[in-house]
Amino acid sequence: MSTPIPTLTDGAVSVRPIRLRDARLLERELLDNRGWLRKWEATNPHGAMSFDVRASIRSLQANARAGFGLPFAIDYDGEFAGQLNVSSISYGSLSSATIGYWVSERFAGHGITPTAVALATDYSFFQVGLHRMEICIRPENAPSLRVVEKLGFRYEGLRRRYIHINGDWRDHFCFALVAEEVPAGVLRRWKEGRVPVGAGTVPQAERDAALLPGTHLP
């Protein structure tokens, strides 16, 4: 079932439906940020992926019409800053989804990403009716790890060689929240300073395990 994609705003940060007319802005940001983004980008283990931005947007929109995703653009103070996708949406007894995101390097450090993730998660919980939201992050991705720490996503474990990123299969740390954990919302809990101490922290033993020779590829 298709789910409406709204515009959600908190202060200068907005997440809104991505549009075909964003293609030029999106392509420019992706090209300008190749060094910043390349090491975190999903790749195809069976060959090169095309760099057709309009086709990518159309694919995201088709996936949304089928009810499997919520593709957002992230704006900061009215300027295109990145993307956020709620993907792999399942309904019924599972009622879950995953979130992936990126912002341009020039917007880093402004609290944009945690705000966008909180807005999208709250909408998914309280409007779409999902029960669980998951975020999977490479162990080396310190900025993304700070996002889940700020918002209090629970650490759930290390997934070995989980997603093909930047040319190879990479380990990922998995984090999640369920709706019952945030009855007043992710954004409100964070803004009010009520995130449980230690939430989102990866145990040192798991950090060490992610770096064991032969199990993790740099």
Side-chain angles (χ1 to χ4, degrees):
M1 58 181 176
S2 178
T3 299
I5 304 175
T7 295
L8 310 167
T9 301
D10 181 72
V13 179
S14 294
V15 293
R16 58 167 176 80
I18 196 160
R19 306 166 295 212
L20 275 177
R21 63 177 177 268
D22 291 317
R24 183 174 296 180
L25 288 171
L26 175 55
E27 184 172 17
R28 185 186 70 195
E29 293 297 329
L30 289 173
L31 289 172
D32 288 348
N33 286 270
R34 292 307 294 153
W36 171 253
L37 297 174
R38 186 190 302 273
K39 57 189 173 182
W40 315 123
E41 287 180 349
T43 45
N44 184 350
H46 305 295
M49 298 174 70
S50 83
F51 188 69
D52 186 332
V53 174
R54 291 180 67 85
S56 175
I57 293 173
R58 288 194 184 98
S59 178
L60 289 170
Q61 291 174 331
N63 196 50
R65 287 192 295 272
F68 300 131
L70 298 170
F72 291 100
I74 303 173
D75 289 340
Y76 181 68
D77 204 17
E79 188 173 0
F80 186 93
Q83 281 183 276
L84 181 148
N85 292 314
V86 178
S87 60
S88 302
I89 294 178
S90 297
Y91 299 97
S93 58
L94 191 56
S95 294
S96 71
T98 64
I99 281 185
Y101 48 80
W102 63 268
V103 295
S104 298
E105 185 174 13
R106 62 198 173 96
F107 291 107
H110 294 284
I112 297 169
T113 305
T115 301
V117 169
L119 286 167
T121 302
D122 285 345
Y123 178 75
S124 298
F125 283 166
F126 304 122
Q127 301 301 318
V128 180
L130 298 183
H131 175 250
R132 182 178 184 275
M133 187 65 74
E134 178 177 288
I135 299 176
C136 292
I137 301 170
R138 283 185 60 183
E140 309 90 340
N141 193 341
S144 278
L145 291 174
R146 285 196 293 272
V147 170
V148 292
E149 288 175 2
K150 286 179 180 178
L151 298 181
F153 274 71
R154 247 182 318 98
Y155 177 66
E156 290 197 332
L158 172 63
R159 295 186 179 178
R160 291 291 189 198
R161 299 173 63 78
Y162 179 55
I163 304 174
H164 203 268
I165 300 287
N166 192 26
D168 218 326
W169 296 103
R170 312 291 182 175
D171 293 351
H172 282 69
F173 291 142
C174 178
F175 304 83
L177 278 176
V178 295
E180 292 91 336
E181 293 176 274
V182 284
V186 181
L187 184 66
R188 182 174 174 183
R189 185 177 75 162
W190 173 45
K191 291 294 185 77
E192 292 180 353
R194 293 188 289 106
V195 173
V197 175
T201 301
V202 180
Q204 187 59 50
E206 294 284 86
R207 291 180 180 271
D208 294 343
L211 299 175
L212 287 175
T215 59
H216 173 75
L217 295 174

